[in-house]
Amino acid sequence: MCNTLREEIQVKLQNGDYHCEKEMTLSIFSGKWKVVILWHLGVEGPHRFNDMQRLFKNISHKTLSNQLKELMEDGVISRKVYPESPPRVEYSMTELGYTLLPIIEMMYDWGKMRIEQLKNEGLIS
Amino acid sequence: MCNTLREEIQVKLQNGDYHCEKEMTLSIFSGKWKVVILWHLGVEGPHRFNDMQRLFKNISHKTLSNQLKELMEDGVISRKVYPESPPRVEYSMTELGYTLLPIIEMMYDWGKMRIEQLKNEGLIS
DNA sequence: CAGAATCCTTTAAGATACTG
DNA sequence: CAGTATCTTAAAGGATTCTG
């Protein structure tokens, strides 16, 4: 019974248990790459699958694919297919996704501040 | 080579790679219970171990223990032992931890908004 | 190009029992 | 009370191969 946070929240909501507001948000961008994906789509605009693969370096094919799928299920990004050959697919933020951006920006700022702090304290070189 | 986000960030920082600001923040509160812990400590004040166990219901002994330990390592909560018998131990937010609270509050607000939205759309009962 | 499918490893988290 | 230790399960993520 080791449910994922995402599943657990989905079940809770279906059962009318709404006391999980912060977990709900966390459940959307927890996952090793989701904030990074959202950040790039939100700040730099639409990206193609292979662009992101090159950009994120180290992310595996399957993992990228999965994370994109879940973000789509959660309604924060969307997928548009252009009828070309070779196929072109672009991922971009939805309106809902953009409402999440301020949070990610705060996370960015906090991380930046904290890294500076650690440097000043000599805890990292 | 399936490192945890936390470890990966720690290694990056040690190597002078500072391009991981948002992941740095995420790495601190990703984990099924960490935002919940931080929320309660931040909004309601210090808590004892068993208080939290009762409060969070469903969290296992060991998991609570681990998450607290990591949050302490990350410097966002602190632990105070009172020399009594039976022992009393209180966990509370550090100054650094409080700087994280606005982010968690935004997560709370977003989740609340989103749940309302889903209700209005009839996607959840 | 953009992926789905399969197989495999690592890690997070739960259950349970034990200790000062 | 406040943990630690051990064991087990489940899920996330990686590697690789295949396809329209």
Side-chain angles (χ1 to χ4, degrees), chain A residues 14-38:
Chain A
Q14 290 301 333
N15 294 340
D17 179 1
Y18 305 133
H19 302 285
C20 51
E21 293 88 350
K22 22 193 186 342
E23 297 97 310
M24 151 63 133
T25 310
L26 179 64
S27 79
I28 286 183
F29 57 57
S30 120
K32 205 165 173 178
W33 300 92
K34 287 185 184 173
V35 275
V36 187
I37 295 173
L38 291 173

Side-chain angles (χ1 to χ4, degrees), chain B residues 50-103:
Chain B
N50 274 12
D51 286 345
M52 302 178 101
Q53 261 235 108
R54 240 169 284 120
L55 199 57
F56 303 152
K57 219 55 191 148
N58 295 338
I59 192 172
S60 81
H61 219 81
K62 183 203 152 199
T63 304
L64 179 56
S65 175
N66 275 352
Q67 309 247 319
L68 290 172
K69 200 181 297 173
E70 291 188 354
L71 289 170
M72 284 172 50
E73 282 173 19
D74 290 334
V76 292
I77 70 173
S78 65
R79 180 176 180 272
K80 186 168 181 188
V81 186
Y82 295 87
E84 306 174 358
S85 178
R88 186 157 70 100
V89 179
E90 274 188 2
Y91 291 90
S92 46
M93 289 289 251
T94 60
E95 226 178 290
L96 179 65
Y98 276 113
T99 65
L100 216 46
L101 203 53
I103 299 181

Side-chain angles (χ1 to χ4, degrees), chain A residues 3-60:
Chain A
N3 283 335
T4 74
L5 190 52
R6 271 186 90 240
E7 279 176 29
E8 207 171 296
I9 299 298
Q10 281 166 10
V11 172
K12 272 193 181 181
L13 292 178
Q14 290 301 333
N15 294 340
D17 179 1
Y18 305 133
H19 302 285
C20 51
E21 293 88 350
K22 22 193 186 342
E23 297 97 310
M24 151 63 133
T25 310
L26 179 64
S27 79
I28 286 183
F29 57 57
S30 120
K32 205 165 173 178
W33 300 92
K34 287 185 184 173
V35 275
V36 187
I37 295 173
L38 291 173
W39 168 268
H40 281 277
L41 293 185
V43 174
E44 299 171 353
H47 280 71
R48 300 174 64 171
F49 192 92
N50 275 12
D51 287 344
M52 302 178 102
Q53 261 235 107
R54 241 170 280 120
L55 199 57
F56 303 151
K57 216 60 191 147
N58 296 338
I59 193 172
S60 82

Side-chain angles (χ1 to χ4, degrees), chain A residues 48-50 61-62 65 69 79 86-87 89 91:
Chain A
R48 300 174 64 171
F49 192 92
N50 275 12
H61 219 83
K62 183 202 153 198
S65 176
K69 200 182 298 174
R79 180 176 179 272
V89 179
Y91 290 90

Side-chain angles (χ1 to χ4, degrees), chain B:
Chain B
M1 260 191 284
C2 183
N3 284 336
T4 73
L5 189 52
R6 269 185 91 239
E7 279 176 28
E8 207 171 298
I9 299 299
Q10 282 166 10
V11 171
K12 273 193 180 180
L13 292 178
Q14 290 301 334
N15 294 342
D17 179 2
Y18 304 133
H19 301 286
C20 49
E21 293 89 350
K22 23 194 185 338
E23 297 97 310
M24 151 63 130
T25 309
L26 180 64
S27 78
I28 286 183
F29 56 57
S30 118
K32 204 164 172 180
W33 300 91
K34 287 185 183 172
V35 275
V36 187
I37 294 173
L38 290 173
W39 168 267
H40 281 277
L41 294 185
V43 173
E44 299 172 353
H47 280 72
R48 300 174 64 169
F49 192 92
N50 274 12
D51 286 345
M52 302 178 101
Q53 261 235 108
R54 240 169 284 120
L55 199 57
F56 303 152
K57 219 55 191 148
N58 295 338
I59 192 172
S60 81
H61 219 81
K62 183 203 152 199
T63 304
L64 179 56
S65 175
N66 275 352
Q67 309 247 319
L68 290 172
K69 200 181 297 173
E70 291 188 354
L71 289 170
M72 284 172 50
E73 282 173 19
D74 290 334
V76 292
I77 70 173
S78 65
R79 180 176 180 272
K80 186 168 181 188
V81 186
Y82 295 87
E84 306 174 358
S85 178
R88 186 157 70 100
V89 179
E90 274 188 2
Y91 291 90
S92 46
M93 289 289 251
T94 60
E95 226 178 290
L96 179 65
Y98 276 113
T99 65
L100 216 46
L101 203 53
I103 299 181
I104 297 176
E105 276 167 347
M106 280 189 78
M107 288 173 60
Y108 181 87
D109 291 340
W110 193 91
K112 201 171 161 189
M113 174 278 284
R114 182 58 178 152
I115 290 174
E116 271 312 307
Q117 222 174 59
L118 289 171
K119 275 203 273 189
N120 291 338
E121 291 173 11
L123 292 175
I124 56 177
S125 45

